[in-house]
């Protein structure tokens, strides 16, 4: 079973000048390369520092992390800082802690919810 955590973090991300897409998309792609990051949601630019070969973008974002043990915020910070071009400025909150077996479980749960019927009371 994989364990997923959703956190809110502020990250400084170095985006190369030749990156495709806008700064938010390129920055999110760089953060998604970190091994523990499953998904980047709701990335918002909070600051820019242009450089000669790259632009440092400060992103406030919601991250879905995957891990097999109960990580605390210090471990999350260390693992994010190990990503190339990623520096953690702040890890604000841990929002959700869910255990899932696979992505197929999410799809099956969604299908079950659709099949439910509401019967009005008489």
């Amino acid at each position: 079973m994989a364990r997923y955590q959703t956190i809110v973090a502020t990250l400084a991300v170095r985006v190369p000048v030749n990156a495709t897409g806008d700064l938010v998309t390129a920055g999110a792609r760089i953060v998604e390369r970190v091994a523990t990051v499953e998904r980047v949601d709701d990335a918002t630019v909070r600051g820019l520092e242009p450089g000669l070969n790259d632009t440092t973008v400060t992103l406030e974002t919601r991250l879905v992390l995957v891990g097999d043990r109960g990580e605390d915020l210090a471990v999350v910070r260390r693992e994010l800082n190990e990503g190339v071009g990623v520096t953690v400025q702040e890890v604000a909150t841990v929002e959700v802690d869910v255990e899932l077996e696979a992505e197929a479980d999410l799809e099956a749960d969604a299908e079950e919810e659709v099949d439910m019927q509401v019967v009005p009371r008489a």
Side-chain angles (χ1 to χ4, degrees):
M1 243 185 237
R3 181 170 183 243
Y4 292 84
Q5 285 181 308
T6 302
I7 66 165
V8 175
T10 303
L11 309 171
V13 182
R14 292 178 48 204
V15 178
V17 293
N18 62 351
T20 57
D22 59 18
L23 291 173
V24 174
T25 305
R29 267 193 242 123
I30 291 168
V31 174
E32 285 176 341
R33 292 180 190 157
V34 177
T36 59
V37 176
E38 178 72 19
R39 188 174 72 237
V40 176
D41 293 333
D42 303 328
T44 304
V45 174
R46 295 293 181 210
L48 295 172
E49 288 184 39
L52 183 60
N53 296 319
D54 58 22
T55 299
T56 301
V57 180
T58 304
L59 292 177
E60 184 176 282
T61 186
R62 184 180 317 255
L63 301 173
V64 177
L65 306 175
V66 63
D68 292 329
R69 60 190 189 283
E71 287 95 356
D72 61 7
L73 293 180
V75 173
V76 168
R77 179 182 291 272
R78 186 179 68 238
E79 289 176 347
L80 288 171
N81 277 327
E82 289 176 0
V84 175
V86 178
T87 305
V88 176
Q89 293 181 342
E90 181 181 355
V91 177
T93 58
V94 176
E95 293 187 351
V96 180
D97 192 7
V98 180
E99 288 188 16
L100 300 172
E101 290 183 20
E103 188 72 26
D105 291 340
L106 289 175
E107 293 171 6
D109 290 342
E111 288 176 7
E112 287 176 13
E113 289 177 16
V114 171
D115 291 339
M116 296 174 126
Q117 295 181 0
V118 177
V119 179
R121 290 179 140 178

